[in-house]
Amino acid sequence: MSAVLFLITLVIAIAILVVLIMKVKLHPTFALFLVGLGMALVNGFPFMEAMGLLTKGFGNTLGSLGIPIMLGAILAMGVQDTGAAKAIANFFIRLFHGKNLELAPALTAYVVSIPVFGDITTILCSNIANVLSKRKHISMSTMATFTQTGLNLTHAMVPPTPGILAVSVALSADLGMVITWGIVITVIAFFLTWLVLKKWCEKEWIEPVPAVVEGIEETKSNSVSDILINEPDLPNTFAAFLTILIPVVLIAGGSFINMSIPESVAEDAMIRTVAAIMSDKVVALGAGVIYTMILATFHKKSVRASNLDSTGSDPKGFNEVVLNSWIARGLEVALAALLITAMGGAFSEVIKACPAIGELTELIDKLPIPAILIPFFCGAIMMTAVGSMTTAGLTAVGVVGPMMATLGLSPVAATLAIGAGTLCFNHVSNSGFWVVSRFFNLGTITQGLKYITIPDAVAGVFSMILLLICNMIGII
């Protein structure tokens, strides 16, 4: 099969995937399986070999990401029940002296979304956004624009979020470097997006969700103490941030240690070994979970109340809340992400194995554009088609992976470029689009496209421009 014909079959496969997910309402896991199997058969693989490719891709992805995804989901339960997200929001309210309050839920979402699933972060931060919207008369168009932009920037570009973590592993990128550069680029991209879109999104007034703000009064006061989320038993700011920072610092710190200590120095072998252990994604996330469980013991009242709201039950022993309920709730949330991510890896394995991928690599290499734009466009095209950042990233890896030697990009640069691409064209095919619309009171598709799709695309383009500059000067 020629490269052109392969591209045609790939486009048709993606179109079928969209129809199966959006029109037929088939679960993405089985839609990816059927399309992956069809893609393998069309490209000349015997049935059993096609099944072997799918099984291999599914197993490899699940083997490398299964435990981190589960730990991330359990950590999310802890962040919710301990009130850490609200404490982080209070930090940003104080930081900006009660002004530009859309930045409080936005930057809270930015931080929380690093290890926590996007939909959970949306739910955690939407209440904060609605309350501040009512208190200070800020339109939910503004709250939605920047909260979901902050959330999706780290969701797309900063591990250990499952999607970008999977892309990093698939391209053998250094996780610490992806985290470090991902944070640098996304922070700058967020504030550029905020500066460009702030006045635009204020033009339409959208009320906060009535059920959330019932009984809350608007205030003309600019006093920070009148705006803070005043709930009893919240952890202090440092303790709250540690739930997120522990896994991030361990992973990034281990990478920096290994970079700074040459392998040729035998005396430092023990330091490198310890750094490698502590920066392992399972160990780092596990440490975050253990810390959050310890934090919960100092805030038993709020943890019990939150767990009761979520499950409808209040176990007699507190240990049952953190050692059983958190894990059970986390695994329930993680299941869909686990299966979709693993099947996305299976589809990616099929694409990488197609013989025409080599010819396609040569064809793309002749295009008169910077090499780093190739993974960006691959991520953007896949996101437009499949509507999931995780699935889009893993599918893009199937195309980009075999091209790495030809493109001449570092794995870190290619990984971040794919992530930036998956920010573009977040629309109705993405379940997160509807979750944000619901919890931020965006009542029409037009409002969703204005305050979700457009801001994410702007943030994705800014991220790509920054990444292109860094790549051109040779620092990534």
Side-chain angles (χ1 to χ4, degrees):
M1 181 180 291
S2 68
V4 174
L5 187 57
F6 172 74
L7 273 177
I8 293 172
T9 61
L10 182 59
V11 170
I12 294 173
I14 292 171
I16 294 172
L17 187 63
V18 172
V19 171
L20 289 175
I21 294 173
M22 293 187 63
K23 300 296 183 182
V24 182
K25 304 300 181 183
L26 182 63
H27 193 280
T29 303
F30 279 94
L32 283 163
F33 171 75
L34 292 176
V35 172
L37 179 60
M39 186 73 177
L41 295 175
V42 168
N43 278 271
F45 292 100
F47 180 81
M48 291 308 298
E49 189 174 346
M51 290 297 294
L53 285 172
L54 290 168
T55 302
K56 177 185 176 183
F58 186 93
N60 288 346
T61 305
L62 196 60
S64 62
L65 298 176
I67 296 175
I69 289 175
M70 289 188 291
L71 289 172
I74 296 167
L75 180 60
M77 300 305 105
V79 170
Q80 174 180 320
D81 286 4
T82 59
K86 295 175 182 177
I88 292 171
N90 280 341
F91 166 79
F92 288 118
I93 291 171
R94 293 188 187 96
L95 181 66
F96 295 106
H97 304 289
K99 301 175 183 177
N100 297 313
L101 285 182
E102 67 276 3
L103 292 176
L107 293 176
T108 302
Y110 175 96
V111 173
V112 173
S113 184
I114 293 174
V116 174
F117 297 133
D119 288 355
I120 298 174
T121 303
T122 299
I123 296 168
L124 286 173
C125 295
S126 64
N127 285 349
I128 299 169
N130 276 279
V131 169
L132 293 178
S133 167
K134 178 69 175 181
R135 290 287 284 164
K136 292 298 293 180
H137 197 73
I138 301 172
S139 173
M140 287 303 291
S141 61
T142 301
M143 288 297 189
T145 294
F146 299 115
T147 302
Q148 68 86 35
T149 298
L151 182 160
N152 282 328
L153 274 165
T154 47
H155 184 74
M157 296 184 68
V158 183
T161 300
I164 192 66
L165 176 62
V167 174
S168 301
V169 171
L171 294 180
S172 300
D174 185 296
L175 276 181
M177 290 296 99
V178 175
I179 289 173
T180 301
W181 284 111
I183 289 174
V184 170
I185 289 170
T186 54
V187 165
I188 298 172
F190 173 81
F191 280 105
L192 289 173
T193 303
W194 177 67
L195 288 171
V196 168
L197 297 182
K198 180 173 169 57
K199 294 296 183 184
W200 169 76
C201 65
E202 289 175 347
K203 293 179 179 179
E204 181 177 6
W205 172 256
I206 299 176
E207 294 281 348
V209 178
V212 176
V213 298
E214 185 178 356
I216 295 174
E217 299 294 331
E218 186 175 326
T219 178
K220 300 295 184 182
S221 172
N222 290 319
S223 171
V224 172
S225 61
D226 291 335
I227 304 169
L228 290 173
I229 302 168
N230 292 311
E231 291 189 7
D233 204 30
L234 289 181
N236 65 53
T237 300
F238 181 70
F241 267 104
L242 279 180
T243 60
I244 311 299
L245 291 179
I246 284 175
V248 171
V249 170
L250 286 176
I251 293 172
S255 295
F256 280 113
I257 290 172
N258 284 325
M259 286 177 59
S260 61
I261 299 176
E263 292 187 14
S264 58
V265 182
E267 292 81 2
D268 294 330
M270 180 59 72
I271 297 176
R272 289 196 302 272
T273 300
V274 172
I277 292 172
M278 297 307 296
S279 62
D280 179 84
K281 52 187 179 291
V282 173
V283 174
L285 280 164
V289 169
I290 292 170
Y291 165 78
T292 306
M293 287 180 171
I294 294 171
L295 178 65
T297 63
F298 294 95
H299 302 278
K300 291 182 179 180
K301 185 176 180 179
S302 60
V303 169
R304 279 191 175 278
S306 179
N307 183 72
L308 178 61
D309 288 341
S310 298
T311 65
S313 65
D314 186 19
K316 183 177 181 180
F318 183 74
N319 286 349
E320 191 175 342
V321 175
V322 297
L323 298 179
N324 189 302
S325 181
W326 280 11
I327 295 173
R329 288 161 54 198
L331 292 179
E332 184 177 344
V333 170
L335 180 59
L338 278 169
L339 295 177
I340 293 171
T341 302
M343 198 58 76
F347 186 30
S348 175
E349 187 70 26
V350 169
I351 295 173
K352 289 187 289 185
C354 291
I357 201 75
E359 187 178 337
L360 179 63
T361 299
E362 296 176 3
L363 186 66
I364 290 177
D365 188 47
K366 296 176 183 178
L367 294 175
I369 61 174
I372 199 166
L373 292 179
I374 300 299
F376 172 76
F377 286 131
C378 285
I381 291 168
M382 297 304 177
M383 181 61 192
T384 305
V386 302
S388 160
M389 289 183 179
T390 299
T391 305
L394 281 166
T395 309
V397 164
V399 178
V400 174
M403 302 179 187
M404 288 297 291
T406 304
L407 292 174
L409 297 173
S410 72
V412 172
T415 296
L416 291 173
I418 289 174
T422 63
L423 276 164
C424 299
F425 311 117
N426 175 9
H427 59 101
V428 295
S429 62
N430 184 6
S431 63
F433 178 94
W434 300 106
V435 174
V436 172
S437 296
R438 175 188 170 193
F439 284 92
F440 285 81
N441 211 26
L442 306 182
T444 67
I445 291 179
T446 300
Q447 288 177 336
L449 294 172
K450 285 174 66 176
Y451 305 121
I452 299 173
T453 308
I454 291 175
D456 279 0
V458 171
V461 171
F462 275 134
S463 297
M464 187 61 244
I465 291 171
L466 292 165
L467 185 56
L468 179 62
I469 293 170
C470 291
N471 184 250
M472 289 177 65
I473 63 180
I475 60 176
I476 299 182

